[in-house]
Amino acid sequence: MLGEHVYAVRSSWTGNRGTGTSGYRDYDRLVRMSIAGKPDLEASADKPFRGDPARWNPEDLLVASLSECHLLSYLHACVTVGVVVVAYEDEASGTMVEDGRGGGSFREVVLRPLVTVADASMTDAAQAAHHQAHEWCFIANSVNFEVRVEPRVRVAGD
């Protein structure tokens, strides 16, 4: 399993209204993201940056990547300590701050997983597994801002 892994994505701008980028307001920020063998993802800029709010934007995708990476790492961590997870939901959010020069950066992302375990005896180990999941998450280890995890654990049937 050790080694280098390469991920290839094709991004195609689909927002040319006929005059290309002749002016800042003359084109749409529509993008098609493609990966061989997977459904295309229709994306855009965020609405404040003249994008289509109905489409995924880069900021959404970054927060989603962190949320999914933690989820998958967490499920593995639970298996290794004998915790049976029967449901997992996350209400993740990220805060990005503009720098006034046309750029900006994320300040933080907060993951708020709600995990349901099969038995009350698993609650403490389920809570502790979040630390291991955070250590294992490739995406969280790749960003230069804080990724906080505020987990909650409940027991099935309660």
Side-chain angles (χ1 to χ4, degrees):
M1 177 100 173
L2 292 178
E4 185 174 297
H5 306 272
V6 176
Y7 300 90
V9 176
R10 179 185 174 111
S11 299
S12 302
W13 174 51
T14 59
N16 185 348
R17 295 184 192 153
T19 61
T21 58
S22 58
Y24 184 72
R25 299 177 190 280
D26 296 337
Y27 62 95
D28 288 324
R29 277 62 174 175
L30 306 179
V31 177
R32 178 172 296 116
M33 309 293 286
S34 303
I35 296 176
K38 298 181 183 182
D40 288 351
L41 178 65
E42 301 297 329
S44 181
D46 195 9
K47 184 178 180 178
F49 308 110
R50 304 195 56 77
D52 182 343
R55 293 183 176 211
W56 287 79
N57 62 61
E59 297 81 13
D60 293 333
L61 293 166
L62 179 61
V63 174
S65 292
L66 285 159
S67 177
E68 182 181 1
C69 187
H70 186 85
L71 181 157
L72 295 171
S73 298
Y74 179 77
L75 296 179
H76 177 69
C78 284
V79 167
T80 65
V81 295
V83 171
V84 178
V85 175
V86 297
Y88 183 113
E89 299 172 12
D90 185 13
E91 295 290 332
S93 63
T95 302
M96 185 185 77
V97 180
E98 293 182 64
D99 63 13
R101 299 182 316 265
S105 62
F106 271 80
R107 177 184 306 144
E108 72 173 354
V109 167
V110 181
L111 308 178
R112 295 176 185 89
L114 173 58
V115 177
T116 306
V117 296
D119 187 84
S121 65
M122 300 173 178
T123 303
D124 290 341
Q127 190 76 15
H130 283 285
H131 177 74
Q132 182 63 65
H134 189 65
E135 294 293 316
W136 285 344
C137 177
F138 298 125
I139 308 302
N141 287 314
S142 300
V143 299
N144 65 353
F145 53 84
E146 182 179 13
V147 179
R148 281 191 294 126
V149 182
E150 299 176 353
R152 295 177 293 142
V153 177
R154 64 182 175 192
V155 179
D158 283 355

